[in-house]
Amino acid sequence: MRSSRRRLLIVPVLLCALAVLAAGPADEAPAGGAGPGAGAEVARLYEEAAVATQRYEEGRREAEAQRARARRYEELLDRQRRELGVLREDLGRIARSQYRTGGGLPFTARMLLADDPEELMRRQRVVSQADQAVEKAIEDSRRAEAGLAADEARAAAEWQELERRNAELAEVRRTIERKLEEARRRLEGEAAASAAAGSCRGAVRLDQPPTTLAEDWVAPVETYAMSAGFGSGGARWANRHTGQDFAVPVGTPVRSVGAGRVAAVSCGGAFGIAVVVGHPGGYYTQYAHLSSVAVDQGERVRPGQWIGLSGSTGNSTGPHLHFEVRVTPHLGSGVDPVPWLATRGVRL
């Protein structure tokens, strides 16, 4: 399973995106039928939701760091206050000592009455130096306390500003997610109509995400929970389960696990909307129960390329991707996808 200026730009950028979204989908459904843009809209909204979530999490982490800094400032202030208290107590003890040893008399009178005037002068110099040191320490401590208090106030203000921005980001994310749910419902309606008619609507071209994938093989979906495995039994299958299921929401981008050519695009039947890709070496992979496809038969694909969106068409009890690996393009020639992918460096 899987600098502060820059952050200041996050909110206006996302708020602009929100304003565009609030204006409504780019492709409205024509009268009497579903619009062709639901799949592309879902894919776009998935990307925007992912960006909004990432920015929100970054802001939340920064707010936590600011909170921690504010707590450290408070701890420093407390320590400075304690040290200041100790210094003041020391000054008080020195003053009381001076009083007990004749500090209330003029220094000249104490000199006349002293048994050892030189010792008295030496002690007086020590007391005077200590007094000056304590006064300097108190003044330094006051300045430090004022500086720490200012730092603490700045940290608290920054934290409050971050909290405000995070609230805005959270609202942007919620709005995108609401739009995403609406687009998913439209997509499901389109997919159900195509599967029932046994006729595909044609490839819905998706804006492919920027990719720096260096791997030759990848998992068919990026984030998932594995459900029914290869060879498992159940009432839903005539014999045994012929692939590996990945539990994902409707509209999750589905990726070609490797380079190859699209061998088939089909709609209707037990697999609903499905894509089969032929790979070098004689193996084929199937991606079934889709809500839309983004490729045409005969098209070349690369590892990680989005070839469709997940759904729940055909013989399906809920949204998921049914993924198969076969030695022919046809049902009945399947091998277990998990070890097959593992030998190619993909650990599910």
Side-chain angles (χ1 to χ4, degrees), residues 57-125:
E57 291 300 321
E58 289 173 354
R60 184 185 59 78
R61 286 192 295 271
E62 180 60 23
E64 288 296 327
Q66 284 287 6
R67 252 194 297 265
R69 283 194 286 271
R71 285 194 293 269
R72 287 196 297 272
Y73 284 134
E74 185 59 39
E75 290 169 0
L76 285 171
L77 278 171
D78 287 342
R79 188 173 68 189
Q80 287 287 341
R81 292 183 186 111
R82 288 194 299 270
E83 292 174 354
L84 184 58
V86 170
L87 288 171
R88 284 171 175 161
E89 288 178 4
D90 289 343
L91 183 58
R93 281 195 297 273
I94 292 171
R96 289 192 295 273
S97 174
Q98 284 181 293
Y99 179 77
R100 286 195 300 270
T101 57
L105 293 173
F107 181 67
T108 303
R110 281 187 283 151
M111 285 284 291
L112 292 172
L113 295 173
D115 295 331
D116 187 348
E118 289 185 3
E119 175 64 18
L120 179 63
M121 290 183 67
R122 188 187 67 78
R123 289 170 56 193
Q124 181 66 24
R125 283 196 299 272

XYZ file of all heavy atoms in Angstrom, residues 57-125:
576
model
N -2.457 18.893 4.033
C -1.596 18.159 4.960
C -0.294 18.918 5.215
O 0.210 18.927 6.343
C -1.291 16.757 4.395
C -2.500 15.841 4.381
C -3.057 15.613 5.786
O -2.257 15.479 6.727
O -4.288 15.591 5.925
N 0.260 19.557 4.179
C 1.460 20.365 4.386
C 1.177 21.516 5.345
O 1.965 21.810 6.247
C 1.959 20.911 3.040
C 2.570 19.853 2.138
C 2.893 20.407 0.752
O 2.532 21.579 0.488
O 3.484 19.673 -0.051
N 0.023 22.176 5.159
C -0.348 23.273 6.055
C -0.577 22.793 7.474
O -0.209 23.471 8.438
N -1.200 21.617 7.609
C -1.447 21.071 8.954
C -0.129 20.771 9.652
O 0.042 21.071 10.843
C -2.296 19.803 8.838
C -2.702 19.205 10.177
C -3.429 17.897 9.980
N -2.600 16.919 9.272
C -1.623 16.237 9.864
N -1.339 16.415 11.140
N -0.924 15.369 9.157
N 0.822 20.172 8.914
C 2.119 19.885 9.517
C 2.844 21.166 9.917
O 3.482 21.236 10.969
C 2.979 19.065 8.548
C 2.541 17.624 8.426
C 3.579 16.795 7.689
N 3.747 17.185 6.310
C 3.042 16.697 5.300
N 2.108 15.780 5.524
N 3.266 17.094 4.062
N 2.751 22.218 9.079
C 3.389 23.492 9.409
C 2.732 24.127 10.640
O 3.419 24.711 11.484
C 3.308 24.450 8.210
C 3.940 25.810 8.445
C 5.416 25.733 8.781
O 6.082 24.741 8.438
O 5.904 26.687 9.409
N 1.413 23.999 10.746
C 0.725 24.526 11.931
C 1.196 23.797 13.193
O 1.387 24.418 14.245
C -0.783 24.397 11.767
N 1.371 22.488 13.088
C 1.872 21.723 14.237
C 3.280 22.191 14.608
O 3.614 22.304 15.799
C 1.880 20.228 13.913
C 0.493 19.612 13.852
C -0.222 19.668 15.197
O 0.453 19.581 16.238
O -1.453 19.834 15.208
N 4.116 22.451 13.609
C 5.469 22.933 13.885
C 5.435 24.307 14.552
O 6.206 24.586 15.480
C 6.283 22.996 12.583
N 4.523 25.173 14.085
C 4.386 26.492 14.709
C 3.915 26.364 16.152
O 4.370 27.087 17.038
C 3.392 27.353 13.913
C 3.931 27.909 12.623
C 4.926 29.038 12.850
O 5.299 29.340 13.979
N 5.387 29.642 11.776
N 2.988 25.446 16.377
C 2.520 25.221 17.748
C 3.663 24.767 18.637
O 3.802 25.191 19.785
C 1.400 24.180 17.752
C 0.024 24.775 18.027
C -0.972 23.693 18.358
N -1.173 22.783 17.250
C -2.142 22.899 16.360
N -2.998 23.887 16.451
N -2.259 22.021 15.375
N 4.502 23.866 18.114
C 5.644 23.380 18.884
C 6.622 24.513 19.190
O 7.166 24.594 20.293
C 6.353 22.257 18.119
N 6.840 25.413 18.192
C 7.720 26.550 18.435
C 7.148 27.458 19.515
O 7.884 27.943 20.381
C 7.942 27.339 17.140
C 8.911 26.684 16.184
C 9.353 27.632 15.094
N 8.304 27.857 14.104
C 8.132 27.102 13.025
N 8.910 26.058 12.820
N 7.178 27.378 12.162
N 5.836 27.687 19.485
C 5.209 28.525 20.515
C 5.386 27.902 21.900
O 5.627 28.600 22.883
C 3.729 28.729 20.199
N 5.258 26.565 21.973
C 5.448 25.898 23.267
C 6.897 26.044 23.746
O 7.143 26.245 24.940
C 5.075 24.424 23.157
C 3.581 24.177 23.109
C 3.260 22.718 23.346
N 3.730 21.876 22.253
C 2.986 21.560 21.197
N 1.755 22.004 21.088
N 3.492 20.773 20.240
N 7.868 25.938 22.816
C 9.272 26.102 23.205
C 9.546 27.512 23.707
O 10.276 27.711 24.678
C 10.193 25.771 22.023
C 10.278 24.294 21.715
C 11.475 23.992 20.829
N 11.386 24.644 19.529
C 10.782 24.118 18.462
N 10.195 22.938 18.563
N 10.767 24.765 17.313
N 8.948 28.525 23.054
C 9.109 29.894 23.520
C 8.553 30.051 24.941
O 9.154 30.723 25.781
C 8.384 30.871 22.578
C 9.110 31.132 21.282
C 8.449 31.106 20.064
C 10.472 31.434 21.276
C 9.113 31.339 18.872
C 11.148 31.677 20.087
C 10.461 31.632 18.894
O 11.126 31.867 17.727
N 7.408 29.460 25.195
C 6.806 29.545 26.522
C 7.708 28.878 27.561
O 7.872 29.391 28.681
C 5.425 28.889 26.512
C 4.660 29.031 27.821
C 4.427 30.482 28.211
O 4.156 31.311 27.326
O 4.528 30.761 29.422
N 8.297 27.750 27.197
C 9.214 27.080 28.129
C 10.437 27.944 28.408
O 10.906 28.029 29.552
C 9.641 25.729 27.545
C 8.514 24.701 27.512
C 8.884 23.472 26.698
O 10.019 23.433 26.174
O 8.035 22.564 26.598
N 10.965 28.606 27.370
C 12.103 29.510 27.576
C 11.719 30.672 28.476
O 12.497 31.095 29.352
C 12.602 30.038 26.223
C 13.411 29.055 25.374
C 13.640 29.626 23.975
C 14.741 28.746 26.038
N 10.521 31.217 28.266
C 10.057 32.310 29.123
C 9.961 31.868 30.581
O 10.380 32.579 31.497
C 8.691 32.811 28.641
C 8.700 33.808 27.485
C 7.288 34.040 26.984
C 9.313 35.129 27.931
N 9.408 30.688 30.800
C 9.288 30.176 32.168
C 10.669 30.037 32.807
O 10.860 30.377 33.983
C 8.566 28.830 32.162
C 7.088 28.981 31.877
O 6.568 30.107 32.029
O 6.448 27.976 31.496
N 11.628 29.510 32.050
C 12.977 29.343 32.594
C 13.598 30.697 32.919
O 14.236 30.869 33.959
C 13.846 28.588 31.596
C 15.209 28.198 32.164
C 15.942 27.308 31.194
N 16.314 28.048 29.985
C 16.810 27.463 28.898
N 16.950 26.150 28.859
N 17.139 28.193 27.851
N 13.405 31.686 32.034
C 13.933 33.017 32.285
C 13.294 33.632 33.530
O 13.967 34.287 34.335
C 13.682 33.931 31.075
C 14.553 33.644 29.876
C 15.984 34.097 30.083
O 16.256 34.913 30.953
N 16.897 33.543 29.310
N 11.997 33.409 33.687
C 11.323 33.946 34.883
C 11.878 33.308 36.156
O 12.055 33.981 37.179
C 9.826 33.719 34.758
C 9.156 34.545 33.651
C 7.655 34.329 33.642
N 7.033 35.002 32.497
C 6.486 34.366 31.473
N 6.469 33.031 31.440
N 5.948 35.042 30.475
N 12.113 31.992 36.099
C 12.668 31.316 37.278
C 14.068 31.838 37.603
O 14.399 32.091 38.764
C 12.716 29.804 37.043
C 11.354 29.140 37.051
C 11.476 27.632 37.148
N 12.187 27.062 36.017
C 11.606 26.661 34.894
N 10.294 26.790 34.747
N 12.325 26.138 33.905
N 14.906 32.001 36.559
C 16.255 32.514 36.784
C 16.214 33.935 37.336
O 17.015 34.314 38.200
C 17.049 32.468 35.484
C 17.363 31.053 35.016
C 18.021 31.021 33.646
O 18.129 32.098 33.026
O 18.432 29.916 33.217
N 15.269 34.743 36.839
C 15.124 36.105 37.337
C 14.730 36.108 38.811
O 15.229 36.908 39.611
C 14.082 36.860 36.505
C 13.859 38.340 36.819
C 15.158 39.117 36.667
C 12.776 38.911 35.933
N 13.855 35.183 39.175
C 13.454 35.071 40.570
C 14.616 34.722 41.470
O 14.751 35.267 42.577
N 15.465 33.806 41.018
C 16.646 33.422 41.810
C 17.578 34.617 41.977
O 18.109 34.874 43.062
C 17.378 32.245 41.139
C 18.726 32.004 41.808
C 16.516 30.993 41.180
N 17.791 35.374 40.892
C 18.657 36.547 40.973
C 18.115 37.568 41.962
O 18.872 38.175 42.746
C 18.805 37.187 39.592
C 19.663 36.421 38.576
C 19.539 37.052 37.199
C 21.116 36.393 39.016
N 16.818 37.751 41.943
C 16.227 38.720 42.865
C 16.347 38.251 44.319
O 16.563 39.050 45.234
C 14.767 38.960 42.489
C 14.631 39.854 41.259
C 13.219 39.931 40.750
N 13.117 40.888 39.643
C 12.131 40.904 38.772
N 11.157 39.985 38.847
N 12.108 41.807 37.803
N 16.212 36.962 44.525
C 16.408 36.430 45.875
C 17.849 36.637 46.329
O 18.116 37.005 47.490
C 16.057 34.948 45.910
C 14.567 34.677 45.815
C 14.267 33.189 45.794
O 15.221 32.391 45.941
O 13.079 32.825 45.629
N 18.822 36.404 45.436
C 20.226 36.628 45.779
C 20.469 38.086 46.139
O 21.200 38.401 47.100
C 21.130 36.234 44.611
C 21.170 34.718 44.410
O 20.778 33.987 45.341
O 21.605 34.284 43.325
N 19.892 39.004 45.363
C 20.050 40.425 45.656
C 19.472 40.766 47.028
O 20.038 41.553 47.794
C 19.374 41.261 44.562
C 19.516 42.790 44.692
C 20.987 43.186 44.699
C 18.784 43.488 43.560
N 18.324 40.152 47.320
C 17.707 40.381 48.626
C 18.596 39.895 49.763
O 18.718 40.557 50.796
N 19.227 38.722 49.583
C 20.109 38.199 50.621
C 21.315 39.117 50.826
O 21.750 39.364 51.945
C 20.580 36.792 50.237
C 19.542 35.713 50.516
C 20.169 34.340 50.462
N 20.689 34.000 49.148
C 19.959 33.436 48.187
N 18.679 33.137 48.412
N 20.487 33.141 47.017
N 21.875 39.632 49.725
C 23.007 40.560 49.834
C 22.602 41.818 50.589
O 23.327 42.320 51.475
C 23.550 40.911 48.436
C 24.207 39.678 47.807
C 24.549 42.069 48.499
C 24.590 39.855 46.362
N 21.414 42.355 50.256
C 20.938 43.566 50.931
C 20.745 43.323 52.426
O 21.109 44.154 53.271
C 19.637 44.031 50.291
N 20.149 42.143 52.754
C 19.946 41.838 54.177
C 21.277 41.664 54.893
O 21.442 42.077 56.053
C 19.103 40.589 54.309
C 17.642 40.781 53.909
C 16.779 39.599 54.317
N 17.149 38.382 53.617
C 16.660 38.029 52.432
N 15.792 38.827 51.816
N 17.045 36.914 51.847
N 22.251 41.048 54.204
C 23.566 40.868 54.798
C 24.235 42.212 55.069
O 24.839 42.426 56.115
C 24.443 40.007 53.880
O 25.760 39.928 54.369
N 24.095 43.140 54.118
C 24.667 44.469 54.310
C 24.048 45.160 55.524
O 24.730 45.828 56.306
C 24.442 45.337 53.060
C 25.360 44.997 51.895
C 25.088 45.907 50.725
O 24.030 45.852 50.132
N 26.057 46.740 50.412
N 22.741 44.983 55.676
C 22.056 45.638 56.789
C 22.545 45.072 58.121
O 22.818 45.787 59.073
C 20.549 45.455 56.645
C 19.764 46.090 57.760
C 19.557 47.474 57.786
C 19.267 45.312 58.803
C 18.851 48.064 58.830
C 18.558 45.904 59.845
C 18.356 47.264 59.850
O 17.663 47.841 60.883
N 22.655 43.704 58.170
C 23.092 43.082 59.427
C 24.522 43.462 59.782
O 24.895 43.505 60.949
C 22.994 41.560 59.297
C 21.567 41.037 59.346
C 21.562 39.530 59.582
N 22.259 38.805 58.528
C 21.675 38.355 57.436
N 20.385 38.576 57.247
N 22.366 37.698 56.525
N 25.365 43.718 58.801
C 26.768 44.044 59.071
C 27.011 45.548 59.078
O 28.125 46.009 58.846
C 27.672 43.393 58.018
O 27.267 43.828 56.715
C 27.597 41.886 58.110
N 25.940 46.313 59.295
C 26.102 47.762 59.393
C 25.773 48.483 58.134
O 26.153 49.641 57.956
N 25.054 47.828 57.254
C 24.718 48.456 55.984
C 23.872 49.695 56.154
O 23.818 50.550 55.287
N 23.176 49.820 57.362
C 22.323 51.001 57.561
C 23.120 52.234 57.939
O 22.598 53.340 57.923
N 24.399 52.063 58.352
C 25.246 53.204 58.726
C 25.982 53.734 57.509
O 26.296 52.984 56.598
C 26.286 52.766 59.767
C 25.740 52.366 61.147
C 26.875 51.809 61.992
C 25.081 53.549 61.838
N 26.315 55.039 57.558
C 27.151 55.572 56.489
C 28.472 54.828 56.478
O 28.972 54.368 57.510
C 27.336 57.043 56.862
C 26.185 57.357 57.758
C 25.880 56.097 58.511
N 29.040 54.683 55.291
C 30.270 53.899 55.136
C 31.409 54.500 55.982
O 32.195 53.766 56.583
C 30.674 53.859 53.654
C 31.913 53.044 53.399
C 31.897 51.666 53.604
C 33.108 53.652 53.011
C 33.045 50.916 53.385
C 34.241 52.895 52.803
C 34.209 51.520 52.982
N 31.473 55.855 56.099
C 32.530 56.497 56.893
C 32.425 56.085 58.348
O 33.435 55.767 59.009
C 32.437 58.018 56.776
O 32.521 58.394 55.408
C 33.550 58.706 57.560
N 31.188 56.048 58.885
C 30.986 55.656 60.290
C 31.404 54.208 60.485
O 32.014 53.847 61.496
C 29.529 55.846 60.677
N 31.074 53.342 59.492
C 31.463 51.945 59.630
C 32.979 51.794 59.607
O 33.541 50.927 60.284
C 30.815 51.113 58.503
C 29.353 50.801 58.807
C 28.792 49.835 57.778
N 28.487 50.524 56.522
C 28.524 49.971 55.334
N 28.895 48.724 55.203
N 28.235 50.664 54.261
N 33.664 52.629 58.815
C 35.118 52.599 58.775
C 35.700 52.951 60.138
O 36.656 52.330 60.611
C 35.646 53.580 57.720
C 35.476 53.106 56.271
S 36.701 51.844 55.836
C 38.201 52.831 55.844
N 35.119 53.966 60.810
C 35.629 54.403 62.108
C 35.400 53.355 63.187
O 36.210 53.191 64.102
C 34.969 55.723 62.515
C 35.349 56.955 61.667
C 34.488 58.152 62.045
C 36.841 57.292 61.851
N 34.283 52.618 63.070
C 33.935 51.638 64.104
C 34.532 50.268 63.835
O 34.480 49.382 64.695
C 32.413 51.507 64.198
C 31.673 52.778 64.666
C 30.167 52.574 64.549
C 32.076 53.132 66.101
N 35.053 50.033 62.634
C 35.531 48.697 62.273
C 36.827 48.359 62.974
O 37.690 49.215 63.175
C 35.728 48.613 60.755
N 36.947 47.079 63.381
C 38.193 46.585 63.953
C 39.285 46.483 62.888
O 40.475 46.630 63.176
C 37.976 45.204 64.592
C 37.042 45.270 65.786
O 37.010 46.336 66.436
O 36.348 44.260 66.041
N 38.849 46.154 61.630
C 39.807 46.004 60.528
C 39.278 46.772 59.320
O 38.527 46.234 58.491
C 39.973 44.517 60.179
C 41.091 44.279 59.158
O 41.554 45.274 58.562
O 41.464 43.107 58.946
N 39.587 48.068 59.213
C 39.048 48.877 58.110
C 39.385 48.320 56.731
O 38.573 48.409 55.811
C 39.708 50.241 58.332
C 40.040 50.271 59.788
C 40.409 48.865 60.147
N 40.591 47.729 56.577
C 40.954 47.198 55.252
C 40.043 46.031 54.851
O 39.618 45.922 53.701
C 42.428 46.746 55.258
C 43.409 47.910 55.323
C 44.830 47.416 55.213
O 45.031 46.183 55.038
O 45.748 48.257 55.253
N 39.760 45.162 55.828
C 38.836 44.058 55.548
C 37.465 44.576 55.196
O 36.784 44.056 54.302
C 38.775 43.126 56.771
C 37.754 41.991 56.652
C 38.090 41.011 55.531
O 39.262 40.992 55.058
O 37.186 40.248 55.113
N 37.029 45.637 55.903
C 35.720 46.227 55.605
C 35.692 46.773 54.187
O 34.699 46.585 53.454
C 35.422 47.338 56.622
C 34.092 48.074 56.414
C 32.913 47.100 56.576
C 33.958 49.241 57.397
N 36.769 47.435 53.770
C 36.812 47.975 52.403
C 36.804 46.856 51.366
O 36.156 46.954 50.329
C 38.063 48.848 52.222
C 38.010 50.156 53.003
S 39.451 51.176 52.701
C 39.201 51.590 50.995
N 37.544 45.791 51.655
C 37.547 44.662 50.723
C 36.156 44.067 50.573
O 35.679 43.790 49.460
C 38.533 43.603 51.196
C 38.754 42.458 50.201
C 39.598 41.369 50.807
N 38.881 40.720 51.881
C 37.918 39.806 51.692
N 37.553 39.460 50.468
N 37.310 39.265 52.726
N 35.480 43.858 51.703
C 34.120 43.319 51.665
C 33.166 44.256 50.937
O 32.274 43.816 50.217
C 33.626 43.054 53.083
C 34.319 41.867 53.753
C 33.999 41.774 55.219
N 32.549 41.704 55.425
C 31.970 41.867 56.617
N 32.692 42.105 57.691
N 30.661 41.777 56.715
N 33.364 45.562 51.152
C 32.502 46.530 50.484
C 32.658 46.436 48.964
O 31.695 46.521 48.219
C 32.826 47.943 50.962
C 31.954 49.036 50.327
C 30.500 48.916 50.731
O 30.181 48.346 51.781
N 29.616 49.432 49.889
N 33.935 46.273 48.500
C 34.162 46.142 47.052
C 33.498 44.876 46.511
O 32.888 44.883 45.439
C 35.668 46.115 46.771
C 36.330 47.483 46.833
C 37.703 47.453 46.187
N 38.600 46.515 46.861
C 39.364 46.824 47.903
N 39.345 48.046 48.397
N 40.168 45.907 48.434
